[in-house]
PDB file of all heavy atoms in Angstrom:
ATOM      1  N   VAL A 163       6.987  -1.436  -4.441  1.00 96.00           N
ATOM      2  CA  VAL A 163       6.199  -0.217  -4.497  1.00 96.00           C
ATOM      3  C   VAL A 163       5.352  -0.255  -5.751  1.00 96.00           C
ATOM      4  O   VAL A 163       5.920  -0.441  -6.856  1.00 96.00           O
ATOM      5  CB  VAL A 163       7.061   1.054  -4.495  1.00 96.00           C
ATOM      6  CG1 VAL A 163       6.188   2.283  -4.627  1.00 96.00           C
ATOM      7  CG2 VAL A 163       7.897   1.131  -3.231  1.00 96.00           C
ATOM      8  N   ALA A 164       4.043  -0.134  -5.645  1.00 97.00           N
ATOM      9  CA  ALA A 164       3.132  -0.135  -6.799  1.00 97.00           C
ATOM     10  C   ALA A 164       2.365   1.162  -6.863  1.00 97.00           C
ATOM     11  O   ALA A 164       1.847   1.655  -5.837  1.00 97.00           O
ATOM     12  CB  ALA A 164       2.164  -1.334  -6.688  1.00 97.00           C
ATOM     13  N   ARG A 165       2.292   1.728  -8.043  1.00 97.00           N
ATOM     14  CA  ARG A 165       1.523   2.972  -8.251  1.00 97.00           C
ATOM     15  C   ARG A 165       0.302   2.666  -9.092  1.00 97.00           C
ATOM     16  O   ARG A 165       0.385   1.932 -10.087  1.00 97.00           O
ATOM     17  CB  ARG A 165       2.391   4.029  -8.923  1.00 97.00           C
ATOM     18  CG  ARG A 165       3.589   4.430  -8.056  1.00 97.00           C
ATOM     19  CD  ARG A 165       4.420   5.555  -8.685  1.00 97.00           C
ATOM     20  NE  ARG A 165       5.586   5.833  -7.836  1.00 97.00           N
ATOM     21  CZ  ARG A 165       5.562   6.608  -6.767  1.00 97.00           C
ATOM     22  NH1 ARG A 165       4.426   7.208  -6.415  1.00 97.00           N
ATOM     23  NH2 ARG A 165       6.650   6.789  -6.057  1.00 97.00           N
ATOM     24  N   PHE A 166      -0.850   3.256  -8.670  1.00 96.00           N
ATOM     25  CA  PHE A 166      -2.117   2.951  -9.312  1.00 96.00           C
ATOM     26  C   PHE A 166      -2.829   4.237  -9.729  1.00 96.00           C
ATOM     27  O   PHE A 166      -2.582   5.315  -9.162  1.00 96.00           O
ATOM     28  CB  PHE A 166      -3.036   2.211  -8.329  1.00 96.00           C
ATOM     29  CG  PHE A 166      -2.785   0.731  -8.253  1.00 96.00           C
ATOM     30  CD1 PHE A 166      -1.754   0.223  -7.477  1.00 96.00           C
ATOM     31  CD2 PHE A 166      -3.596  -0.158  -8.951  1.00 96.00           C
ATOM     32  CE1 PHE A 166      -1.525  -1.139  -7.381  1.00 96.00           C
ATOM     33  CE2 PHE A 166      -3.383  -1.521  -8.857  1.00 96.00           C
ATOM     34  CZ  PHE A 166      -2.345  -2.023  -8.068  1.00 96.00           C
ATOM     35  N   GLY A 167      -3.704   4.092 -10.702  1.00 94.00           N
ATOM     36  CA  GLY A 167      -4.753   5.033 -10.998  1.00 94.00           C
ATOM     37  C   GLY A 167      -6.028   4.216 -10.906  1.00 94.00           C
ATOM     38  O   GLY A 167      -6.331   3.637  -9.874  1.00 94.00           O
ATOM     39  N   LYS A 168      -6.764   4.124 -12.021  1.00 93.00           N
ATOM     40  CA  LYS A 168      -7.892   3.209 -12.045  1.00 93.00           C
ATOM     41  C   LYS A 168      -7.377   1.753 -11.919  1.00 93.00           C
ATOM     42  O   LYS A 168      -8.029   0.913 -11.329  1.00 93.00           O
ATOM     43  CB  LYS A 168      -8.655   3.390 -13.384  1.00 93.00           C
ATOM     44  CG  LYS A 168      -9.750   2.339 -13.613  1.00 93.00           C
ATOM     45  CD  LYS A 168     -10.286   2.434 -15.021  1.00 93.00           C
ATOM     46  CE  LYS A 168     -11.245   1.291 -15.283  1.00 93.00           C
ATOM     47  NZ  LYS A 168     -11.725   1.266 -16.696  1.00 93.00           N
ATOM     48  N   THR A 169      -6.245   1.521 -12.522  1.00 93.00           N
ATOM     49  CA  THR A 169      -5.595   0.210 -12.437  1.00 93.00           C
ATOM     50  C   THR A 169      -4.091   0.417 -12.265  1.00 93.00           C
ATOM     51  O   THR A 169      -3.629   1.540 -12.059  1.00 93.00           O
ATOM     52  CB  THR A 169      -5.927  -0.636 -13.689  1.00 93.00           C
ATOM     53  OG1 THR A 169      -5.413  -1.960 -13.543  1.00 93.00           O
ATOM     54  CG2 THR A 169      -5.352   0.007 -14.949  1.00 93.00           C
ATOM     55  N   LEU A 170      -3.333  -0.656 -12.373  1.00 96.00           N
ATOM     56  CA  LEU A 170      -1.879  -0.570 -12.147  1.00 96.00           C
ATOM     57  C   LEU A 170      -1.197   0.334 -13.169  1.00 96.00           C
ATOM     58  O   LEU A 170      -1.428   0.236 -14.380  1.00 96.00           O
ATOM     59  CB  LEU A 170      -1.273  -1.975 -12.236  1.00 96.00           C
ATOM     60  CG  LEU A 170       0.237  -2.079 -12.020  1.00 96.00           C
ATOM     61  CD1 LEU A 170       0.570  -1.851 -10.555  1.00 96.00           C
ATOM     62  CD2 LEU A 170       0.753  -3.416 -12.496  1.00 96.00           C
ATOM     63  N   LYS A 171      -0.357   1.245 -12.670  1.00 95.00           N
ATOM     64  CA  LYS A 171       0.462   2.102 -13.531  1.00 95.00           C
ATOM     65  C   LYS A 171       1.907   1.561 -13.649  1.00 95.00           C
ATOM     66  O   LYS A 171       2.475   1.506 -14.735  1.00 95.00           O
ATOM     67  CB  LYS A 171       0.530   3.519 -12.992  1.00 95.00           C
ATOM     68  CG  LYS A 171      -0.793   4.284 -13.155  1.00 95.00           C
ATOM     69  CD  LYS A 171      -0.602   5.741 -12.798  1.00 95.00           C
ATOM     70  CE  LYS A 171      -1.833   6.559 -13.184  1.00 95.00           C
ATOM     71  NZ  LYS A 171      -1.629   8.004 -12.899  1.00 95.00           N
ATOM     72  N   ASN A 172       2.480   1.157 -12.534  1.00 96.00           N
ATOM     73  CA  ASN A 172       3.782   0.508 -12.558  1.00 96.00           C
ATOM     74  C   ASN A 172       4.037  -0.110 -11.194  1.00 96.00           C
ATOM     75  O   ASN A 172       3.365   0.226 -10.198  1.00 96.00           O
ATOM     76  CB  ASN A 172       4.903   1.484 -12.955  1.00 96.00           C
ATOM     77  CG  ASN A 172       4.987   2.677 -12.001  1.00 96.00           C
ATOM     78  OD1 ASN A 172       5.336   2.554 -10.832  1.00 96.00           O
ATOM     79  ND2 ASN A 172       4.645   3.858 -12.532  1.00 96.00           N
ATOM     80  N   CYS A 173       4.988  -1.009 -11.153  1.00 97.00           N
ATOM     81  CA  CYS A 173       5.359  -1.661  -9.909  1.00 97.00           C
ATOM     82  C   CYS A 173       6.849  -2.003  -9.966  1.00 97.00           C
ATOM     83  O   CYS A 173       7.350  -2.515 -10.972  1.00 97.00           O
ATOM     84  CB  CYS A 173       4.544  -2.937  -9.701  1.00 97.00           C
ATOM     85  SG  CYS A 173       4.846  -3.806  -8.126  1.00 97.00           S
ATOM     86  N   VAL A 174       7.557  -1.713  -8.865  1.00 96.00           N
ATOM     87  CA  VAL A 174       8.994  -2.028  -8.766  1.00 96.00           C
ATOM     88  C   VAL A 174       9.179  -3.019  -7.625  1.00 96.00           C
ATOM     89  O   VAL A 174       8.686  -2.776  -6.508  1.00 96.00           O
ATOM     90  CB  VAL A 174       9.828  -0.761  -8.531  1.00 96.00           C
ATOM     91  CG1 VAL A 174      11.320  -1.105  -8.556  1.00 96.00           C
ATOM     92  CG2 VAL A 174       9.530   0.304  -9.580  1.00 96.00           C
ATOM     93  N   ILE A 175       9.855  -4.117  -7.887  1.00 96.00           N
ATOM     94  CA  ILE A 175       9.994  -5.202  -6.925  1.00 96.00           C
ATOM     95  C   ILE A 175      11.462  -5.549  -6.739  1.00 96.00           C
ATOM     96  O   ILE A 175      12.185  -5.725  -7.736  1.00 96.00           O
ATOM     97  CB  ILE A 175       9.228  -6.466  -7.377  1.00 96.00           C
ATOM     98  CG1 ILE A 175       7.753  -6.146  -7.677  1.00 96.00           C
ATOM     99  CG2 ILE A 175       9.343  -7.573  -6.329  1.00 96.00           C
ATOM    100  CD1 ILE A 175       7.070  -7.188  -8.502  1.00 96.00           C
ATOM    101  N   LEU A 176      11.910  -5.601  -5.503  1.00 95.00           N
ATOM    102  CA  LEU A 176      13.256  -6.057  -5.195  1.00 95.00           C
ATOM    103  C   LEU A 176      13.166  -7.296  -4.300  1.00 95.00           C
ATOM    104  O   LEU A 176      12.528  -7.211  -3.207  1.00 95.00           O
ATOM    105  CB  LEU A 176      14.045  -4.946  -4.470  1.00 95.00           C
ATOM    106  CG  LEU A 176      15.447  -5.271  -3.993  1.00 95.00           C
ATOM    107  CD1 LEU A 176      16.373  -5.575  -5.190  1.00 95.00           C
ATOM    108  CD2 LEU A 176      16.017  -4.147  -3.146  1.00 95.00           C
ATOM    109  N   GLY A 177      13.733  -8.383  -4.715  1.00 91.00           N
ATOM    110  CA  GLY A 177      13.666  -9.619  -3.917  1.00 91.00           C
ATOM    111  C   GLY A 177      15.039 -10.255  -3.787  1.00 91.00           C
ATOM    112  O   GLY A 177      15.875 -10.136  -4.687  1.00 91.00           O
ATOM    113  N   PHE A 178      15.273 -10.918  -2.688  1.00 90.00           N
ATOM    114  CA  PHE A 178      16.553 -11.597  -2.488  1.00 90.00           C
ATOM    115  C   PHE A 178      16.481 -12.551  -1.304  1.00 90.00           C
ATOM    116  O   PHE A 178      15.507 -12.495  -0.496  1.00 90.00           O
ATOM    117  CB  PHE A 178      17.686 -10.569  -2.243  1.00 90.00           C
ATOM    118  CG  PHE A 178      17.484  -9.722  -1.012  1.00 90.00           C
ATOM    119  CD1 PHE A 178      18.003 -10.118   0.216  1.00 90.00           C
ATOM    120  CD2 PHE A 178      16.795  -8.529  -1.078  1.00 90.00           C
ATOM    121  CE1 PHE A 178      17.819  -9.334   1.371  1.00 90.00           C
ATOM    122  CE2 PHE A 178      16.605  -7.744   0.052  1.00 90.00           C
ATOM    123  CZ  PHE A 178      17.105  -8.136   1.275  1.00 90.00           C
ATOM    124  N   ARG A 179      17.477 -13.402  -1.209  1.00 83.00           N
ATOM    125  CA  ARG A 179      17.642 -14.214  -0.038  1.00 83.00           C
ATOM    126  C   ARG A 179      18.932 -13.810   0.658  1.00 83.00           C
ATOM    127  O   ARG A 179      19.935 -13.501   0.004  1.00 83.00           O
ATOM    128  CB  ARG A 179      17.739 -15.703  -0.415  1.00 83.00           C
ATOM    129  CG  ARG A 179      16.406 -16.328  -0.761  1.00 83.00           C
ATOM    130  CD  ARG A 179      16.573 -17.814  -1.069  1.00 83.00           C
ATOM    131  NE  ARG A 179      17.190 -18.509   0.054  1.00 83.00           N
ATOM    132  CZ  ARG A 179      16.503 -19.005   1.080  1.00 83.00           C
ATOM    133  NH1 ARG A 179      15.208 -18.868   1.146  1.00 83.00           N
ATOM    134  NH2 ARG A 179      17.124 -19.660   2.046  1.00 83.00           N
ATOM    135  N   SER A 180      18.908 -13.811   1.968  1.00 73.00           N
ATOM    136  CA  SER A 180      20.136 -13.507   2.716  1.00 73.00           C
ATOM    137  C   SER A 180      21.153 -14.603   2.458  1.00 73.00           C
ATOM    138  O   SER A 180      20.825 -15.792   2.518  1.00 73.00           O
ATOM    139  CB  SER A 180      19.809 -13.404   4.218  1.00 73.00           C
ATOM    140  OG  SER A 180      20.987 -13.230   4.969  1.00 73.00           O
ATOM    141  N   GLY A 181      22.399 -14.179   2.173  1.00 58.00           N
ATOM    142  CA  GLY A 181      23.414 -15.157   1.771  1.00 58.00           C
ATOM    143  C   GLY A 181      24.026 -15.929   2.905  1.00 58.00           C
ATOM    144  O   GLY A 181      24.792 -16.871   2.676  1.00 58.00           O
ATOM    145  N   ASN A 182      23.683 -15.624   4.154  1.00 53.00           N
ATOM    146  CA  ASN A 182      24.338 -16.325   5.253  1.00 53.00           C
ATOM    147  C   ASN A 182      23.369 -17.119   6.111  1.00 53.00           C
ATOM    148  O   ASN A 182      23.602 -17.390   7.271  1.00 53.00           O
ATOM    149  CB  ASN A 182      25.065 -15.320   6.162  1.00 53.00           C
ATOM    150  CG  ASN A 182      24.144 -14.206   6.640  1.00 53.00           C
ATOM    151  OD1 ASN A 182      22.962 -14.236   6.343  1.00 53.00           O
ATOM    152  ND2 ASN A 182      24.691 -13.266   7.393  1.00 53.00           N
ATOM    153  N   THR A 183      22.214 -17.492   5.540  1.00 39.00           N
ATOM    154  CA  THR A 183      21.217 -18.219   6.321  1.00 39.00           C
ATOM    155  C   THR A 183      21.612 -19.692   6.497  1.00 39.00           C
ATOM    156  O   THR A 183      21.328 -20.301   7.504  1.00 39.00           O
ATOM    157  CB  THR A 183      19.821 -18.142   5.664  1.00 39.00           C
ATOM    158  OG1 THR A 183      19.947 -18.673   4.316  1.00 39.00           O
ATOM    159  CG2 THR A 183      19.341 -16.737   5.609  1.00 39.00           C
ATOM    160  N   GLY A 184      22.240 -20.269   5.447  1.00 37.00           N
ATOM    161  CA  GLY A 184      22.627 -21.663   5.527  1.00 37.00           C
ATOM    162  C   GLY A 184      21.455 -22.611   5.638  1.00 37.00           C
ATOM    163  O   GLY A 184      21.535 -23.694   6.215  1.00 37.00           O
TER     164      GLY A 184
END
Side-chain angles (χ1 to χ4, degrees):
V163 176
R165 298 183 183 277
F166 278 81
K168 173 190 172 184
T169 186
L170 180 72
K171 288 189 170 183
N172 58 69
C173 183
V174 185
I175 305 163
L176 177 64
F178 61 91
R179 284 182 57 86
S180 175
N182 55 2
T183 57

